[in-house]
Amino acid sequence: MNYTIATATHVGRVRAGNEDAVFPTQDESTAGPVVVAVADGMGGHAAGEVASAIAISSAVGLEAGSALERVEAANAAVLAAAAGDVSKAGMGTTLTLAVFWPDGRLEIGHVGDSRAYLLRNDRLTQLTIDHTFVRELIAQGRLAPEDAESHPRRHMLTRTIGMGNVRVDSLDIYLQPADRVLLCSDGLTGLVSDIRIARILTSTPAPADAAWSLIEAANAAGGHDNTTVAVVDVVE
Ligand code: MN
């Protein structure tokens, strides 16, 4: 299997800085194994930017390891950095990390509300589960899904990298030629519906064009958050 990877990140139209981070920062084509990751940092005094950068660099820098081990390494690194600097105390980040293997295996490790999606035969499926307060209320039957978008605590996360001994979700699937995988921060999914994301992905053949079209869609919808995307095409 071969993978064509394009990533893009944008500050948006409202925020002063970009607290998202992405890997790789250069587009590439490879047979794998290759790591692709999106992180969305949070914390005052630029701590969010530091948290997402540390998470990505420590996860990617691990010489070998599963997606799960890489996300756990990121958590340990962010915790250690926060413990060593009082101005960074309490910083955190989401991390959605994928490892693409030569045999088509896709491993994902995930904490937070960034997302991974699979586009297969023009159908978009969300692979990850958001670790948000609102999603837990829905799962418990205490909130109707249609009320989630307007819930005052819709951005509140129940799991983040850098908040102690976090439980990491992991999943494993096999990819097929012509599959397309999207990793993204909530700057995209908070403003652009899944239907519209699917339409952009199915109508834009080149991964780099698709990545930037998604960023443009988020900015056209207000761009009130940083937006980061990684588009990975599976080629035989
Ligand atoms: Mn965000």
Side-chain angles (χ1 to χ4, degrees):
M1 220 69 94
N2 256 285
Y3 302 103
T4 306
I5 303 158
T7 63
T9 184
H10 194 270
V11 66
R13 298 175 60 190
V14 174
R15 301 276 178 95
N18 191 344
E19 298 191 319
D20 286 0
V22 65
F23 185 86
T25 51
Q26 303 261 310
D27 295 354
E28 59 176 295
S29 198
T30 171
V34 61
V35 178
V36 179
V38 166
D40 179 350
M42 60 213 76
H45 307 289
E49 225 171 292
V50 173
S52 60
I54 290 172
I56 295 266
S57 64
S58 53
V60 170
L62 204 63
E63 206 163 307
S66 65
L68 175 73
E69 288 165 339
R70 288 176 186 278
V71 175
E72 285 174 342
N75 188 51
V78 172
L79 278 170
D85 180 348
V86 71
S87 73
K88 304 288 185 284
M91 69 176 172
T93 182
T94 73
L95 181 60
T96 301
L97 178 143
V99 186
F100 295 85
W101 293 91
D103 64 354
R105 189 159 72 97
L106 166 63
E107 260 189 304
I108 291 175
H110 162 75
V111 171
D113 68 348
S114 299
R115 292 180 179 174
Y117 288 91
L118 172 66
L119 184 78
R120 174 174 287 172
N121 302 326
D122 292 348
R123 254 202 64 189
L124 189 70
T125 311
Q126 187 179 333
L127 298 174
T128 50
I129 292 167
D130 296 348
H131 299 138
T132 59
F133 179 68
V134 157
R135 203 203 144 269
E136 287 187 5
L137 288 182
I138 293 169
Q140 293 162 10
R142 293 164 62 196
L143 182 73
E146 56 270 27
D147 295 333
E149 293 293 296
S150 59
H151 196 281
R153 293 166 86 184
R154 64 188 175 280
H155 297 300
M156 194 180 158
L157 298 180
T158 50
R159 290 193 227 172
T160 55
I161 296 293
M163 301 282 167
N165 201 354
V166 73
R167 194 154 46 89
V168 179
D169 285 353
S170 68
L171 69 107
D172 237 306
I173 62 168
Y174 274 88
L175 296 169
Q176 302 167 2
D179 282 350
R180 177 172 266 188
V181 174
L182 168 69
L183 305 186
C184 60
S185 65
D186 71 333
L188 177 70
T189 53
L191 288 171
V192 184
S193 70
D194 282 10
I195 292 168
R196 184 134 165 66
I197 291 171
R199 203 174 297 143
I200 290 167
L201 289 174
T202 52
S203 64
T204 318
D209 293 344
W212 281 107
S213 294
L214 293 169
I215 300 260
E216 280 165 15
N219 285 337
H224 63 54
D225 195 2
N226 311 139
T227 302
T228 302
V229 302
V231 177
V232 182
D233 278 359
V234 184
V235 190
E236 195 145 25

